[in-house]
Amino acid sequence: MEPLIAAIDQGTSSTRFLVFNAKTAELVCHHQVEINQSFPKEGWVEADPREIMQSVHECMERTCEKLGQLHIHVSNIKAVGVTNQRETTLVWDKETGEPLYNAIVWLDLRTQSTVERLINKAPGKNKNHLRHKTGLPISTYFSAVKLRWLLDNVKEVHEAVLSGCAMFGTVDSWIIWCLTGGRSGGVHCTDVSNAARTMLFNIHTMDWDPELCRYFDIPMEILPTIRSSSEIYGTMKSGSLAGVPVSGCLGDQSAALVGQMCFSEGQAKNTYGTGCFLLRNTGSRPVMSDHGLLTTVAYKLGKNEPACYALEGSVAIAGAVVRWLKDNMGIIKSSSEIETLAAAAGTSYGCYFVPAFSGLYAPYWEPSARGIICGLTQFTNRNHLAFAALEAVCFQTREILDAMNQDSGIPLTVLQVDGGMTSNRLLMQLQADILCIPVVRPNMSETTALGAAMAAGAAEGVDVWSLNPGQLPLVTRERYEPQINPEESEFRFARWKKAVQRAMNWETTEPSYSGNESGLGKKRNGAPWGVSPSPQLIGVVPLDQQQ
């Protein structure tokens, strides 16, 4: 039996465990469990860390049962990789192993007033004030402001920090710590691709930055150790896979870049999940965007391997708009039904949907935006809304692709795609029409999990998966060519841009909540936090001195 590599793919809406053949990259079997999100207040998005781990264990055990039904022994699994929703923020007690609050999901907006205040205090009110170190704008999206909120507003977190019991991590850190022993010696680590999304990580030194930590007043002792994306972190301590090394870790979008085998500078992929994320490999140097994109660490495939960087366009709401139509509005009964409804209309009939439920991400970085549907007439029905929702995903991709082409100076001539939504053939055709370039989809769409498996299998000490270009498996693909003329595409895109402007500036502050109303907080010693890393300085006025 050829060696197998498994991957945990923990996403915003579900957890999956997938097993791949290390020689052919063939998906052998998998299991998926949906996880709940809670929305305790407007703009708040949370998940239960315990439920996340329960879903991981359930997926692993059910997949191992399925392997048995295929007469494949679990001993053929030589390593496990982890890929995860990025930025989502957890704090837990290392003595009890219990989470101290729900995970604050990457989409969450409760820190909007904190972000506004930080931007207002920055020289020139510049949201890119920390970009020289982080590659990121100051935004609700990233982990540091979420962690700051937890420290300011959750008594248990504050007390655990004071007593030395607190551990911070993104979802990858929580999973790896739990799987490798938890409170009985669990490994507290993260990889460079996840660390790069916290705003506490210096993308040049490839380590936690003391000045950034002081800026947000984050105690460095609660942070996980930073490791490469491909090395043995520890071994599984329980379950059917006890003793198997955990040897790969990549944020979901980095994992998809690896799974699409975009190892050469200039290659790009777009993943359609809860959100939509376009990444372009920029090689061994970080490229700063002039058009609203993020500069991020794509991967570091080995302790002694160089880091690879990427430009990223991030869209908050893609598949989530389908879930909203189903769960909130009852317009569809299942996610797959949207393709049938949209195809029945064949057009949005002038209806445009900007799903800015969590503000707008790239290229605008505008947290004040809110969702809007415009162009409605008495003729508009749910079929047109379904079509407009799919078009919205495509228009948002067009905006970030245009920004990426401007930054690189070399337009993409084809777009590689992956993710759950790519099974929607109408969406893929719409995407090709709106971009005016071909869209190419691998027949095996689980490229995120595949990337994590590749990193795990290639790790030193595992060595069952070669990442040498000449030894990468061949992948069959489906290609969608544009079928409308560019003039029609440009007209529809111009109307979309008009709708986006209507969505701007709806909200300027977060809803009130108990606790520290501002979300900004003070340092534990009473001094204000928010003094920026050199060479620039910000002075943040203490809350009790603000007007």
Side-chain angles (χ1 to χ4, degrees), residues 214-539:
R214 282 196 295 271
Y215 179 78
F216 292 104
D217 189 31
I218 302 299
M220 295 187 72
E221 61 270 18
I222 74 172
L223 304 179
T225 303
I226 297 172
R227 309 279 286 270
S228 78
S229 309
S230 179
E231 61 177 277
I232 295 176
Y233 313 114
T235 58
M236 306 274 282
K237 290 296 186 284
S238 64
S240 299
L241 299 179
V244 174
V246 181
S247 56
C249 179
L250 287 159
D252 52 7
Q253 303 314 317
S254 290
L257 194 72
V258 172
Q260 286 269 28
M261 301 173 205
C262 295
F263 294 122
S264 300
E265 186 174 341
Q267 288 185 297
K269 67 87 206 174
N270 196 37
T271 299
Y272 300 75
T274 297
C276 200
F277 303 89
L278 177 62
L279 269 71
R280 185 168 190 158
N281 186 325
T282 64
S284 59
R285 63 191 179 92
V287 174
M288 294 297 169
S289 172
D290 295 321
H291 299 93
L293 302 181
L294 309 177
T295 302
T296 198
V297 179
Y299 53 78
K300 185 178 190 294
L301 295 174
K303 290 182 189 178
N304 301 315
E305 296 298 315
C308 179
Y309 294 87
L311 274 175
E312 176 177 332
S314 311
V315 169
I317 303 295
V321 74
V322 180
R323 193 166 180 169
W324 181 84
L325 288 173
K326 175 172 72 79
D327 295 345
N328 293 43
M329 306 304 290
I331 287 175
I332 53 176
K333 292 185 175 65
S334 68
S335 296
S336 58
E337 190 184 340
I338 192 168
E339 183 173 5
T340 305
L341 285 186
T347 174
S348 68
Y349 205 80
C351 173
Y352 290 84
F353 187 170
V354 183
F357 302 154
S358 295
L360 287 168
Y361 285 12
Y364 301 101
W365 297 106
E366 185 49 70
S368 71
R370 288 295 180 270
I372 189 170
I373 301 172
C374 53
L376 298 173
T377 69
Q378 285 181 307
F379 184 72
T380 306
N381 60 36
R382 65 180 188 144
N383 296 359
H384 301 122
L385 287 179
F387 195 97
L390 295 183
E391 270 195 323
V393 176
C394 300
F395 287 134
Q396 290 179 103
T397 297
R398 166 72 187 269
E399 289 194 298
I400 54 180
L401 183 68
D402 285 356
M404 198 161 278
N405 287 340
Q406 288 177 289
D407 276 327
S408 68
I410 306 169
L412 277 178
T413 56
V414 63
L415 182 65
Q416 292 178 231
V417 301
D418 58 79
M421 289 190 83
T422 60
S423 62
N424 186 321
R425 292 172 178 269
L426 175 59
L427 176 70
M428 294 295 94
Q429 186 58 57
L430 279 172
Q431 189 66 89
D433 291 345
I434 287 166
L435 296 180
C436 302
I437 61 172
V439 168
V440 177
R441 170 191 177 272
N443 287 341
M444 199 291 289
S445 62
E446 301 290 356
T447 52
T448 301
L450 177 61
M454 290 167 68
E460 184 179 350
V462 180
D463 302 308
V464 298
W465 203 309
S466 174
L467 300 182
N468 294 328
Q471 295 178 278
L472 294 172
L474 294 174
V475 177
T476 56
R477 301 178 186 275
E478 192 173 18
R479 188 178 178 98
Y480 295 83
E481 299 283 349
Q483 293 183 351
I484 64 173
N485 63 56
E487 291 77 17
E488 182 185 345
S489 176
E490 291 301 321
F491 173 78
R492 285 156 62 179
F493 185 53
R495 294 290 292 270
W496 157 264
K497 300 274 278 188
K498 190 175 179 182
V500 169
Q501 292 307 310
R502 299 284 197 275
M504 296 289 195
N505 302 310
W506 278 90
E507 296 287 342
T508 54
T509 58
E510 63 184 289
S512 62
Y513 50 83
S514 60
N516 184 325
E517 291 293 329
S518 72
L520 181 62
K522 296 180 183 179
K523 289 187 179 180
R524 290 177 303 283
N525 61 10
W529 60 274
V531 178
S532 80
S534 58
Q536 300 153 311
L537 294 174
I538 305 177

Side-chain angles (χ1 to χ4, degrees), residues 12-145:
T12 313
S13 57
S14 72
T15 300
R16 290 177 293 172
F17 189 72
L18 305 95
V19 178
F20 296 92
N21 183 311
K23 300 304 178 189
T24 65
E26 174 193 3
L27 177 61
V28 178
C29 69
H30 72 284
H31 190 78
Q32 178 171 341
V33 173
E34 286 202 3
I35 63 166
N36 295 305
Q37 296 173 36
S38 59
F39 307 94
K41 297 185 182 181
E42 183 185 348
W44 293 30
V45 188
E46 297 179 357
D48 182 348
R50 297 179 194 85
E51 183 186 353
I52 288 173
M53 281 314 303
Q54 286 167 0
S55 70
V56 169
H57 288 299
E58 180 180 347
C59 286
M60 289 195 296
E61 294 305 318
R62 295 294 83 76
T63 303
C64 288
E65 289 174 7
K66 292 178 181 180
L67 280 176
Q69 292 165 8
L70 296 170
H71 307 293
I72 299 170
H73 198 271
V74 293
S75 62
N76 292 296
I77 297 176
K78 303 304 180 186
V80 174
V82 176
T83 182
N84 57 287
Q85 52 173 310
R86 302 169 303 169
E87 300 95 16
T88 295
T89 300
L90 300 91
V91 180
W92 65 94
D93 187 311
K94 65 183 177 184
E95 302 293 340
T96 66
E98 290 296 311
L100 298 170
Y101 191 79
N102 276 343
I104 300 182
V105 175
W106 57 277
L107 286 163
D108 188 277
L109 285 178
R110 75 189 66 192
T111 57
Q112 185 176 330
S113 66
T114 303
V115 167
E116 288 175 1
R117 194 170 281 108
L118 285 172
I119 293 170
N120 287 335
K121 297 296 181 183
K125 298 187 176 182
N126 181 9
K127 70 181 74 169
N128 292 313
H129 181 52
L130 304 178
R131 196 173 66 155
H132 63 289
K133 286 197 171 194
T134 65
L136 312 172
I138 300 171
S139 167
T140 59
Y141 183 20
F142 307 110
S143 306
V145 287

